[in-house]
Amino acid sequence: MIFDTLAHIDNYKGVHEGVFKGLLLLRDTDFSILEDKRYELDGEDYFFITSYETQEVNDTPEAHQKYIDIQCLISGTERMNVGALEEMTDEVTERRGADIRFYHGPTDSVTLVPGKFAVLFPGDAHAPNIAVGKPALCRKVVVKVKV
């Protein structure tokens, strides 16, 4: 997992070409003028914008095998619990045909605000959309980079 601010994206040029392109997209795009939906990028990469209310608890971290997630808030504040996939204690469910599985296991927290991002690789379990204090509205962009 990478957790940083958009001001530091040049530090990640050599990590993964698709990840760096996704970070440039986050830094250089005015998402406030785009509607909530899925947008196609090069190849199988894409991003989507979503608006939601944070929840008090998310105790089922998710993980993906085929895509790297880059998550960045456009507005609001949310807590995200993250942990190593190999430390998850059991698989709760899998969505057939979708690149997502849910788990139980130990996690630590980070707080997302506009300008900060999290890059979540296939080995990173993550439970997003958790309220900081009381539930509140958030708007987020998630870039999906094919592994």
Side-chain angles (χ1 to χ4, degrees):
M1 180 187 123
I2 300 170
F3 180 64
D4 206 343
T5 66
L6 292 173
H8 299 144
I9 66 170
D10 286 338
N11 295 333
Y12 304 104
K13 276 185 182 175
V15 171
H16 184 283
E17 181 181 352
V19 169
F20 188 67
K21 284 182 181 180
L23 293 173
L24 289 172
L25 175 82
L26 292 175
R27 185 191 69 192
D28 299 339
T29 304
D30 180 1
F31 293 103
S32 69
I33 62 172
L34 298 177
E35 63 183 87
D36 288 10
K37 68 175 193 173
R38 178 178 164 147
Y39 297 85
E40 300 300 322
L41 296 170
D42 296 335
E44 296 181 68
D45 297 349
Y46 63 95
F47 72 92
F48 62 89
I49 300 171
T50 183
S51 297
Y52 54 92
E53 185 171 291
T54 55
Q55 53 196 2
E56 290 186 19
V57 175
N58 180 352
D59 61 358
T60 53
E62 63 188 64
H64 314 287
Q65 294 178 332
K66 299 176 184 174
Y67 282 90
I68 298 165
D69 269 12
I70 309 172
Q71 299 195 18
C72 186
L73 287 178
I74 300 166
S75 63
T77 301
E78 79 170 44
R79 194 173 87 237
M80 178 186 298
N81 291 343
V82 295
L85 184 57
E86 67 266 12
E87 294 178 4
M88 295 295 110
T89 56
D90 63 310
E91 184 174 321
V92 178
T93 186
E94 173 187 359
R95 287 190 188 156
R96 297 254 182 241
D99 182 37
I100 190 167
R101 291 186 172 143
F102 296 93
Y103 300 88
H104 286 137
T107 58
D108 294 301
S109 294
V110 297
T111 301
L112 285 175
V113 296
K116 288 192 174 184
F117 65 88
V119 179
L120 303 145
F121 295 93
D124 300 322
H126 52 286
N129 308 353
I130 302 170
V132 175
K134 63 181 181 175
L137 292 177
C138 286
R139 191 162 190 247
K140 180 193 289 184
V141 60
V142 178
V143 181
K144 304 291 275 188
V145 177
K146 182 81 170 173
V147 175

